[in-house]
Amino acid sequence: MVKSIGKNKVFCAVFISGRGTNLKSIFKYSKKKSSKFDLKIVISNNSNVEGIKFAKKNKIRTKIVTYKNKKKAEKQILNYMHYYNIKIICLAGFMKILSKNFIKKFKYKIINIHPSLLPKYKGLNTHERAIKNNDKFSGCTVHYVNERLDSGKIILKQKVKIYKNDTPKILAKRILRAENRIYPIAINKVLFRI
Ligand code: GRF
C-alpha cells in the first residue's frame, strides 16, 4: 500500500511503449477531484509513438529511455523515479520486462494492466486464446507486478462478454474500453490517505 499525506496527491509514473490509450485515461482521471494521484512523468522506450505525442500535447513530462543496455536503462529510470518522488509506477503497454532487482526496489508499488481475466491467459495473444477456447467471457485485470509474468496479486478485474462472431481484433477493442475505465480506478484503490 502506498500512503499519501493529507490532501497531497501521490506522484505517479506511467510507463508506455506505444499507443497510450490507458495513459490517456489515467491522465484524464488524475485531473478529477476524487483522484488520489498526479501523473508526474511518462517513461517510454520509444520516442515516436502516439502515447508520447499525447503526453507532449498535454504538457506531461516525458523521458525516453533507450534500451540498448538494460542495466543502464533501469538505472536511468530509477534516477527519474527518485528525482520526481514517484510513489507508484503504472505499466501501460510497456513492452520491456523489468528486472527482479528493479521490482524489488518498488515492491507493491508497480502495477500493470493485462488484457485477460488473470490467472487465465498470461502472456501474449490473450484474445485469440479466449476465442479459440470458446470462452463466454474475457476481460482485463489490474495487478501488482512481481518477478513472475502476469502473476502478482490482483487489484481489480472487469469481465467483458465474448460474442459469437467476435474476432480477436473486435474483442480487443471491447476489452480496451474496459481497461481504460478500470485502470485509473485501480490506481486510486491502491492509494489511501493518512
Ligand atoms: C493494453 O491492451 C494492455 O492491456 C496491454 O498493452 C495494451 C496497451 O494499450 N498491457 P495502450 O497503449 O494503453 O493503448
Side-chain angles (χ1 to χ4, degrees), residues 19-22 92-93 113-115 176 179:
R19 187 177 52 185
T21 64
N22 284 296
I113 187 147
H114 182 75
L176 189 64
E179 290 185 32

Side-chain angles (χ1 to χ4, degrees), residues 40-55:
K40 191 81 174 166
I41 186 167
V42 175
I43 302 283
S44 175
N45 60 311
N46 293 319
S47 55
N48 203 15
V49 289
E50 279 303 302
I52 289 299
K53 284 181 199 155
F54 170 83

Side-chain angles (χ1 to χ4, degrees), residues 74 78 82 87 89 91 97-111 144-148:
E74 287 196 345
L78 209 59
H82 290 142
K87 298 288 187 237
I89 295 174
L91 307 183
I97 308 259
L98 295 168
S99 71
K100 281 187 186 146
N101 221 356
F102 188 97
I103 293 168
K104 230 178 15 199
K105 290 197 171 101
F106 281 90
K107 204 165 179 211
Y108 283 103
K109 287 178 182 165
I110 310 176
I111 66 176
Y144 286 105
V145 172
N146 65 13
E147 319 74 48
R148 281 169 296 116

